Amino acid sequence: MTDLRIRAATPADLDTVLAFWKTSAEGTSISDDRSGVERLVGRDPEALILAERGGELVGTVIAGFDGWRCHLYRLAVHPERRRQGIGSALLAAAEERFVRLGGRRGDAMVLTRNETAHHAWRAAGYAPEEQWRRWVKPLSD
C-alpha cells in the first residue's frame, strides 16, 4: 500500500469529493453540497481527509474535532477498492489528528442498516453504544 497517498482536501477537490460520495458513500446528508463542504474545509482545513491511489480518489473520512469531542463522518472507500487497507489508513490518519489535537475518544456516525460498515468499524476497534440515540433538528428547509 506504499502507493496510497493520504492528505487533507483542498477547495479544488470538493467537486470530486461530492461526486465520489454519490458512488461510494452510503446515504446522503443535508450537507452534501458544495457550500456545505466548502464551509467544512474553510472552517477546518484538515478535517476532510482523502486517500488517493495513482492520482485517483479512492477514500474519504471527515475527522472533525470541536475542542471537546472527536467525530468521524463520511468514511467511504470506492466499492472496487474495499478490503485493501484504505479505510484503515484513513482512520489511522484521523486518529493521529485527534491525538495531536488533544482528543480522547473518537465516535463515528454509522447508519443502522449499513451492516458492511458495522464490520469495518468493529475491525477498527469501534463499538456501538446502544444507550445513545442521535437526535436531530433541521435548521433550514
Side-chain angles (χ1 to χ4, degrees):
M1 206 172 43
T2 57
D3 64 336
L4 189 66
R5 179 178 178 219
I6 304 292
R7 67 174 179 86
T10 67
D13 297 310
L14 303 187
D15 290 329
T16 301
V17 167
L18 288 165
F20 176 80
W21 285 343
K22 287 181 181 178
T23 61
S24 302
E26 180 73 23
T28 58
S29 167
I30 194 169
S31 301
D32 285 358
D33 58 24
R34 176 82 189 194
S35 62
V37 183
E38 280 178 341
R39 274 191 304 280
L40 169 69
V41 172
R43 182 180 179 281
D44 188 349
E46 296 180 354
L48 177 52
I49 302 170
L50 308 181
E52 297 174 323
R53 181 169 278 152
E56 175 191 357
L57 180 60
V58 294
T60 66
V61 70
I62 297 173
F65 182 62
D66 61 12
W68 182 260
R69 302 243 166 112
C70 306
H71 301 286
L72 294 159
Y73 312 92
R74 280 293 184 241
L75 177 62
V77 175
H78 191 282
E80 295 174 7
R81 303 295 184 118
R82 293 180 181 158
R83 303 196 55 77
Q84 297 177 16
I86 296 166
S88 295
L90 285 164
L91 285 177
E95 292 166 359
E96 289 169 14
R97 169 179 157 74
F98 291 152
V99 169
R100 189 174 67 249
L101 294 171
R104 298 180 184 179
R105 177 182 69 185
D107 68 60
M109 301 274 298
V110 184
L111 290 171
T112 304
R113 69 175 188 267
N114 191 346
E115 290 294 327
T116 302
H118 297 184
H119 296 294
W121 284 103
R122 279 191 179 89
Y126 290 78
E129 288 189 328
E130 298 301 332
Q131 71 272 25
W132 296 102
R133 176 74 56 192
R134 182 175 179 216
W135 293 42
V136 298
K137 176 185 177 184
L139 300 176
S140 63
D141 294 330

